[in-house]
Amino acid sequence: VKMASRLGAVDLGSLVCVDDFEIAAAASMAQHDFDYFAGGAETEGTLRANAAAFRDLTLWPRVLRDVSTVDTAVSLPELGLPCLGVPIIAAPVAMLKIAHPEGEPAAAIACGKKGVLYCASQQATTSIEKLSSVREEGIGRWMSEGTRNDDGDRGHTSDGDDAKYEQKSPKARNPPPNMWFQLYIFSDRQETEGLVKRAEKCGCAAFVVTVDAPVLGRRERDVRNKFALRKELRLENVVVTGTKKNTGAGSEPGTETQSRRRTTTSTTGTGTTSTTSTQASIAKRVGGRDTSLTWDFIKWIKTVTNKPIIVKGIVRKDDAKLAVKHGVHGVWVSNHGGRQLDGAPATLRALPGVVQGVEEGTRDLLQTKLFSKKKQKRIPIIFDGGVRRGADVVKALALGADLVAVGRPLVWGLACGGEHGVETVLDILKEELTTAMALCGVAKIADIKNA
């Protein structure tokens, strides 16, 4: 891998897969910053299990199928997605300006140009207002150019290489999907309601409520590194009542600016171990979140917004049934990228049970008077965890997911090349997905579940 001397200036042409991007990002970023994104909780067993689960699952291809045209498009209008070019979306990732100075706007613009939904994070280093404005401006500029096929030179086509550089008019480019907004529920409901209203004004089409982080998992890489945000960065969406905007260690509620420290002391002046105090400082990122949250919050949030509500962090069949019972619009299978409970199941192993729970929950509701007699479609299921290849997307779809989210791969793309780096990662994943579908004998996404 040819490396450049500064962050975001990697030779992208030398990187051919997501793993290459991770290696290049590790060489480009400060160790403590790379570890923040790459690390998991405690032994990182769940983090490793997420990726390993894909290696343990076999694809059994059909042959002699017409795959002269492979269509990767999907439609989920119930989640504000009338048309997506691929069933891949960008998972919410906090504090992207750690990875690259362009941060969230670069990632969001790249996703929009590739027809990929971008889910904005509450814990972003760019406010939702600025993110929306810069994204709209960047994508608008791109749509007005209409210079070449937005599939780039990695596109899969049956019309020969010349088709890759087919000229397009601005009208030929489909508008990008509206963003989603991920949030945590604060004990101060007014603060949460304010975030929801701000995101609505910015055109967010749905809200993703993360429910697997009432407290912060113990991420030992961050503890060892005494992780803290650079002082010029802060969380731009969150303001703690009675304080100035957050800065410093995670820039999240209740934190203050910390400098980088690599000293190793055994105790503090109070007798508390240094690692304990460091973990306590890092854990302040979740300050203000409601640790008493129950399923009843769904009823409340529906009084705040009429946008679709998706619960993120479901890995059990019974919780999936409860999600349906309480009227959510989507279920997101996730273990927070292995960053919360070490020992939790790999999400790919959890996926079939969640699908079964959603289906059983839907059947239970159909037996009540809550639905009319017309056939009720089950709510969509989003999946994340360990996805590094287009073939991984095929495997998750085959097990019942409707959309597959990627987080770390886009971080590595951002770190290596800013906006263009993210675009390149998405191009690679789409090319791999299209190739895997063709080799499996399926010509469209719906065929994957029926293969």
Side-chain angles (χ1 to χ4, degrees), residues 47-70:
L47 172 65
R48 293 189 296 274
N50 278 347
F54 285 99
R55 295 194 294 271
D56 293 339
L57 191 66
T58 300
L59 292 171
W60 293 81
R62 300 294 302 270
V63 297
L64 297 178
R65 298 291 188 99
D66 182 359
V67 290
S68 56
T69 300
V70 175

Side-chain angles (χ1 to χ4, degrees), residues 43-106:
T43 70
E44 300 188 346
T46 295
L47 172 65
R48 293 189 296 274
N50 278 347
F54 285 99
R55 295 194 294 271
D56 293 339
L57 191 66
T58 300
L59 292 171
W60 293 81
R62 300 294 302 270
V63 297
L64 297 178
R65 298 291 188 99
D66 182 359
V67 290
S68 56
T69 300
V70 175
D71 183 6
T72 61
V74 294
S75 177
L76 291 169
E78 62 269 43
L79 296 182
L81 304 174
C83 183
L84 283 177
V86 288
I88 299 170
I89 67 173
V93 180
M95 304 185 290
L96 284 180
K97 285 187 178 180
I98 295 175
H100 191 280
E102 295 175 3
E104 291 86 4

